[in-house]
Amino acid sequence: MNYKLLGSSDLKISEIAFGAMSLQGSDADNAALIQQALAAGINYFDTADLYDKGANESTLGKALQGKRKEVIIATKAGNQWRPDGSGWDWNPRKEYILSAVEGSLQRLQTDYIDLYQLHGGTLEDNIDETIEAFERLQEQGKIRYYGISSIRPNVIRAYVEKSRIVSVMMQYSLLDRRPEETCFELLQQHNIGILARGSVAKGLLVNKPATAYLNYTAEEVQRAANAVKTLSNAQRGPAQTALRFVLQQGPVTAAVVGIRTPEQLQDAVAAADAPLLNAGELEQLKAAVAVNVYEQHR
């Protein structure tokens, strides 16, 4: 497993990160899978208070008991469940962030969170107020660092200008190269790490039947999947090829992979040791479909 510093922080994280949102088993099953991930060298685990109404944080917290000093825990806040459980509302207000962290700390069974992330964001938010909440939590020692999870270039720019974020989580894959145009260079210039999610495009680059995705037609998705398959071999299967494409982009610190089964874990971990894509192979993948760009929130 390879490890990289996350932006300007001192968090040295595995380039394959465990996305806990996909966990669906019992606490015992989830703990067994997470122990396998630890044994494979994964040290970064990502969740959110939104996932399964907090139960995702709880199952992760139980699984990591006794391992706290060995792992880096990231969670998110900003989406507030309604009292009746019918859905959630966006709430980036200072008082809510300060209260939400207490629930996350309790469910995760820890007294600090390594990376606390705003789970979204709009330009209509009182961004200064939100930043004040994260800064206070950092001063109190309840969080070590903070970042945002957003695909909106205008929101990302605002936080780059106003805050001390160390990371941005965003969707990025061969079928979603939008961050290349508006975010990669900016974040690299400011030493802000990128946590890439959706690296296999919901499985469309690996094993799912082609269907329309973002602005791509099913035929274009199939071309991208075919390019991935063409460059795959015994040492680097389709999943590893798709992940290596993401991991070899300079600004990307880690790929946060949703893992639910031992097979998915094995596929993800194998990408860390898979043969690198050479320059020609990277260009071949990029040429498979036209690069897409953000049409909104620019």
Side-chain angles (χ1 to χ4, degrees):
M1 182 63 65
N2 303 307
Y3 301 86
K4 298 179 183 177
L5 283 173
L6 181 61
S8 59
S9 78
D10 64 358
L11 303 176
K12 199 168 188 179
I13 70 173
S14 50
E15 67 174 0
I16 298 298
F18 194 111
M21 185 178 81
S22 298
L23 290 174
Q24 294 179 349
S26 65
D27 286 341
D29 289 340
N30 293 340
L33 185 61
I34 288 167
Q35 294 306 313
Q36 291 175 40
L38 286 166
I42 292 177
N43 72 346
Y44 180 99
F45 296 84
D46 183 272
T47 181
D49 60 3
L50 177 68
Y51 303 155
D52 205 10
K53 300 181 179 178
N56 195 265
E57 287 182 324
S58 295
T59 196
L60 181 62
K62 291 173 184 176
L64 293 176
Q65 283 304 291
K67 303 287 186 180
R68 187 64 187 92
K69 293 183 179 180
E70 303 170 27
V71 298
I72 293 167
I73 297 176
T75 190
K76 312 179 196 74
N79 294 291
Q80 184 176 17
W81 279 101
R82 298 173 193 140
D84 63 3
S86 63
W88 63 85
D89 298 303
W90 177 238
N91 189 350
R93 297 294 303 276
K94 181 178 179 179
E95 64 269 20
Y96 177 67
I97 299 294
L98 294 177
S99 65
V101 75
E102 301 299 335
S104 289
L105 288 168
Q106 183 177 15
R107 289 186 291 270
L108 289 164
Q109 300 184 50
T110 183
D111 55 5
Y112 68 94
I113 292 163
D114 296 293
L115 180 67
Y116 203 36
Q117 301 160 98
L118 183 67
H119 203 174
T122 74
L123 286 186
E124 287 69 49
D125 301 339
N126 186 332
I127 292 175
D128 292 333
E129 179 183 307
T130 302
I131 293 169
E132 284 176 15
F134 284 105
E135 291 284 343
R136 179 180 295 184
L137 292 175
Q138 201 170 32
E139 291 168 4
Q140 294 172 340
K142 294 179 180 179
I143 67 173
R144 293 179 64 192
Y145 299 97
Y146 65 95
I148 63 171
S149 175
S150 178
I151 61 171
R152 297 182 172 188
N154 54 9
V155 171
I156 291 170
R157 282 196 300 272
Y159 276 90
V160 169
E161 293 170 4
K162 296 186 172 194
S163 76
R164 297 190 299 157
I165 58 170
V166 300
S167 65
V168 175
M169 177 178 284
M170 61 176 63
Q171 183 166 288
Y172 180 72
S173 72
L174 179 60
L175 282 171
D176 189 357
R177 293 171 55 201
R178 295 175 295 177
E180 292 179 13
E181 182 205 10
T182 57
C183 299
F184 272 15
E185 184 177 355
L186 173 69
L187 296 176
Q188 197 164 31
Q189 286 175 349
H190 289 83
N191 194 20
I192 296 170
I194 293 176
L195 301 166
R197 61 176 177 82
S199 300
V200 296
K202 297 183 177 180
L204 293 171
L205 291 171
V206 180
N207 53 16
K208 295 283 182 66
T211 185
Y213 181 77
L214 298 179
N215 61 308
Y216 292 116
T217 65
E219 291 75 18
E220 290 171 319
V221 168
Q222 188 62 60
R223 285 210 306 270
N226 288 344
V228 169
K229 185 176 180 180
T230 298
L231 294 179
S232 301
N233 51 48
Q235 290 77 40
R236 190 184 63 215
Q240 292 82 49
T241 299
L243 283 165
R244 285 257 43 104
F245 175 82
V246 169
L247 292 170
Q248 287 180 228
Q249 307 304 318
V252 174
T253 305
V256 181
V257 184
I259 297 172
R260 187 179 66 254
T261 67
E263 292 74 23
Q264 290 173 340
L265 173 62
Q266 184 177 5
D267 262 352
V269 169
D273 297 319
L276 298 181
L277 294 162
N278 62 40
E281 290 172 325
L282 286 169
E283 288 306 313
Q284 190 173 333
L285 288 172
K286 289 180 178 180
V289 289
V291 64
N292 48 358
V293 298
Y294 287 114
E295 296 178 357
Q296 298 177 320
H297 311 294
R298 295 178 63 89

